Amino acid sequence: MAIAQPATRPANPRFSSGPCAKPPVFDVSKFADAALGRSHRAAIGKDKLKAAIEGTREILGIPADYRIGIVPASDTGAVEMALWSLLGARKVEMLAWESFGAGWVTDVVKQLKLDAEVKTADYGQIVDLDSVDCDNDVVFTWNGTTSGVRVPNGDWITANRQGLTICDATSAAFAMDLPWDKLDVTTFSWQKVLGGEAAHGMIVLSPRAVERLESYTPAWPLPKIFRMTKGGKLIEGIFKGETINTPSMLAVEDYLLALDWARSVGGLKGLIARADANAQAIFDFCDTHDWIANLAENAATRSNTSVCLKFTDARIQDGAAFAKAVAKRLEAEGVALDIGAYRDAPAGLRIWCGGTVETADISALLPWLTWAFEAEIAAQAQAA
Ligand SMILES: Cc1ncc(COP(=O)(O)O)c(C=O)c1O
């Protein structure tokens, strides 16, 4: 028996966790003023790069004495720069509870070969944050994009710490409150919450991070692309838009458009409210449907951007095949694109809820989840 389809589809089926949906106002015709075909060091290009930096500061409420740089290789580039430039000066604690955090552990332990204390938790859980000693350098991911588990707050980070906190906030910045006084290095990419383009990342340095850069030289060589100092002094130009190498001015223009849109929805507060409303619609759906649940076990750690879901129905025979088939059905119907769980994560779905996604589209998607689930249960029974 065919399962009846819901009457309406999301107007925009883009629920990918990165690159994420473009802002609703996105339109390539708005790029007419992009500084293309010119040197990025010409006044027009430099002004745009500066506007990207200062717009970021304004919307995220980053303190005036923190440096903000646009760097190559997206969030990964920004994190690598931080790890390779800063670590090795004191003991390191690595915190990981999903794939990206685990990737940073590999870098620090296997590539930099540091004798780090590694604390891990399974998908759906988080490490014991109260056990973290902030007199060590601490590397962690604010929001675990592949498990949908985030740190609930920065209370566990001490104000008078001796170590540096290095935070990969790529799926958190512009959707969650980040306590800047607790974060010494923060990184994110344009392609996530604001729906910008890939390839460029941002690195935010506290005065204490700058002090470390100027007083410590790592034992290993640093490629040009990672170098933030020259002759023991910070290269201040990087934090004024004089990028290390050539940026894409088209991506810059796109980011400026996204920042303008962010202002139009009420800045950070508005962006957080949009993500919260999106995630809440899914949380409510899980509360009223007993075959699906949030992968994040503790409600306080549930992400409002990368919401990860698992199927809990006892009739499901092959969890991975089932989840894949559900995602495939939704994609084939043009209802939801790219919502399968991350390749290293437990089987399930991952629905992006950042501010560029409209709550009406999440609401329109949810009945389709029921449709795809029931259709797949029926298909499974038929195949048996
Ligand atoms: C937490 C986290 N870190 C790092 C990355 C890598 O980001 P990028 O591809 O922008 O370098 C991602 C991408 O999804 C992420 O979610």
Side-chain angles (χ1 to χ4, degrees):
M1 192 187 74
I3 316 282
Q5 291 190 335
T8 51
R9 286 174 157 73
N12 183 358
R14 291 174 171 81
F15 300 106
S16 152
S17 291
C20 301
K22 305 298 282 179
V25 297
F26 173 79
D27 184 338
V28 283
S29 68
K30 293 181 178 164
F31 291 162
D33 286 339
L36 306 181
R38 296 279 320 264
S39 167
H40 61 292
R41 301 195 191 279
I44 178 177
K46 247 176 102 174
D47 285 351
K48 285 183 184 283
L49 289 159
K50 236 182 182 163
I53 289 172
E54 291 313 317
T56 301
R57 187 188 307 282
E58 168 209 329
I59 289 169
L60 292 182
I62 298 172
D65 58 350
Y66 279 45
R67 295 341 189 264
I68 306 173
I70 297 169
V71 300
S74 210
D75 179 69
T76 308
V79 175
E80 298 288 8
M81 249 175 128
L83 302 182
W84 288 70
S85 299
L86 292 161
L87 294 186
R90 53 196 310 130
K91 190 182 157 187
V92 184
E93 270 189 60
M94 299 294 302
L95 315 181
W97 50 90
E98 51 78 64
S99 167
F100 284 103
W104 308 140
V105 172
T106 300
D107 252 45
V108 168
V109 174
K110 298 235 165 89
Q111 297 294 323
L112 291 177
K113 302 194 190 320
L114 292 175
D115 183 22
E117 184 172 350
V118 179
K119 294 180 175 169
T120 60
D122 282 340
Y123 280 83
Q125 296 169 12
I126 197 162
V127 299
D128 177 9
L129 297 170
D130 291 328
S131 77
V132 175
D133 179 355
C134 293
D135 287 341
N136 299 326
D137 289 339
V138 181
V139 180
F140 70 103
T141 301
W142 192 275
N143 180 72
T145 320
T146 64
S147 71
V149 173
R150 63 169 163 180
V151 298
N153 53 53
D155 293 355
W156 51 282
I157 302 170
T158 48
N160 58 352
R161 63 193 173 280
Q162 297 296 306
L164 297 178
T165 49
I166 300 177
C167 173
D168 172 359
T170 202
S171 53
F174 297 106
M176 304 176 197
D177 261 320
L178 297 173
W180 296 107
D181 59 328
K182 300 288 183 81
L183 302 177
D184 295 304
V185 181
T186 310
T187 67
F188 52 91
S189 55
W190 290 351
Q191 51 107 354
K192 278 280 187 291
V193 180
L194 285 191
E197 287 303 292
H200 294 296
M202 302 204 86
I203 189 164
V204 182
L205 303 175
S206 76
R208 289 183 56 246
V210 173
E211 198 180 290
R212 169 77 64 84
L213 282 173
E214 293 188 328
S215 62
Y216 164 71
T217 306
W220 43 81
L222 279 184
K224 174 179 176 178
I225 219 84
F226 288 176
R227 288 203 295 269
M228 290 183 274
T229 58
K230 190 174 178 193
K233 294 302 281 178
L234 190 74
I235 305 171
E236 293 284 358
I238 296 175
F239 306 95
K240 293 179 181 140
E242 294 160 22
T243 48
I244 297 173
N245 66 335
T246 314
S248 158
M249 296 310 291
L250 198 56
V252 170
E253 198 68 14
D254 178 71
Y255 184 62
L256 292 174
L257 179 72
L259 288 173
D260 271 345
W261 170 78
R263 288 183 190 97
S264 77
V265 297
L268 182 60
K269 234 172 128 188
L271 289 168
I272 292 174
R274 287 174 68 92
D276 281 350
N278 289 341
Q280 191 60 49
I282 301 180
F283 300 166
D284 292 347
F285 182 82
C286 289
D287 285 346
T288 51
H289 295 79
D290 61 6
W291 45 267
I292 195 161
N294 201 306
L295 186 60
E297 284 167 20
N298 176 351
T301 67
R302 283 181 187 154
S303 174
N304 65 348
T305 55
S306 57
V307 175
C308 294
L309 304 171
K310 58 184 177 187
F311 292 104
T312 55
D313 193 291
R315 290 170 295 175
I316 296 170
Q317 288 152 11
D318 177 339
F322 187 90
K324 265 194 187 141
V326 167
K328 197 171 157 198
R329 275 178 197 275
L330 294 168
E331 184 142 350
E333 288 293 335
V335 162
L337 307 178
D338 313 319
I339 65 163
Y342 190 72
R343 58 182 184 270
D344 300 335
L349 302 176
R350 180 174 58 159
I351 302 173
W352 184 254
C353 286
T356 57
V357 171
E358 301 280 13
T359 307
D361 287 339
I362 296 279
S363 300
L365 165 63
L366 294 171
W368 282 95
L369 286 189
T370 305
W371 169 79
F373 167 76
E374 285 176 357
E376 205 44 47
I377 287 285
Q380 191 189 257
Q382 210 164 33

